[in-house]
Amino acid sequence: MTKLQTSSAVLSLDRSTAVAGTDANGDGVRDDVTAWVVAQGFAGDLPKAAAQLAKAYQSVLMLTLTDDTAVRTARLASSDAVECVMQKAPSIEAGYKAVADLRRVTVNTDARVKAYLSYVELVNDTVVRAPQGDGCV
């Protein structure tokens, strides 16, 4: 496995204890998640849609859950990004897979799972507006 990871045949995900992980270029997406998106070989506009969703998931992990405005903003951004992925994917199945896989890659440590589940519990049963257009920004 080590040989595969060092040869770039297998992508290594950030498994540090920090929820934020590393985002060297400051684009709001962890570097390992960006590398994962690139490695998927998504076609057309799906890479951009996946990056939008990755950024939304990352912002959810970093939320101050007592800030109602930030939570509402993150909820809307996530909803829009999921719709964007679904619209840009070649099929509904491919869209669902991309959303689920991206969430799994982003929320990949105990600390990240705890942060994500705290957010999910807070927004459970809330209603958001339908995305504008295809949800893509």
Side-chain angles (χ1 to χ4, degrees):
M1 184 59 101
T2 303
K3 188 175 181 179
L4 287 172
Q5 287 178 334
T6 57
S7 73
S8 299
V10 173
L11 182 65
S12 252
L13 294 176
D14 177 324
R15 298 203 185 273
S16 64
T17 58
V19 174
T22 302
D23 178 14
N25 65 1
D27 66 353
V29 180
R30 280 193 347 247
D31 298 339
D32 61 320
V33 175
T34 297
W36 179 87
V37 169
V38 170
Q40 299 315 295
F42 292 140
D45 291 330
L46 191 52
K48 186 175 177 184
Q52 180 181 336
L53 183 56
K55 186 174 183 176
Y57 282 152
Q58 186 67 21
S59 72
V60 161
L61 297 179
M62 304 310 298
L63 274 175
T64 301
L65 296 178
T66 56
D67 183 343
D68 292 339
T69 301
V71 170
R72 190 171 22 262
T73 299
R75 179 75 173 99
L76 291 170
S78 294
S79 177
D80 287 355
V82 167
E83 180 64 19
C84 181
V85 168
M86 295 303 294
Q87 292 294 321
K88 301 305 179 183
S91 68
I92 290 172
E93 294 79 14
Y96 283 132
K97 183 175 178 354
V99 169
D101 287 350
L102 190 50
R103 183 176 47 242
R104 190 171 39 256
V105 166
T106 304
V107 184
N108 68 330
T109 65
D110 286 344
R112 292 174 187 139
V113 168
K114 287 176 186 175
Y116 185 75
L117 291 178
S118 294
Y119 162 78
V120 168
E121 181 179 7
L122 182 65
V123 300
N124 188 29
D125 290 334
T126 61
V127 177
V128 295
R129 61 150 174 76
Q132 301 287 329
D134 62 7
C136 300
V137 292

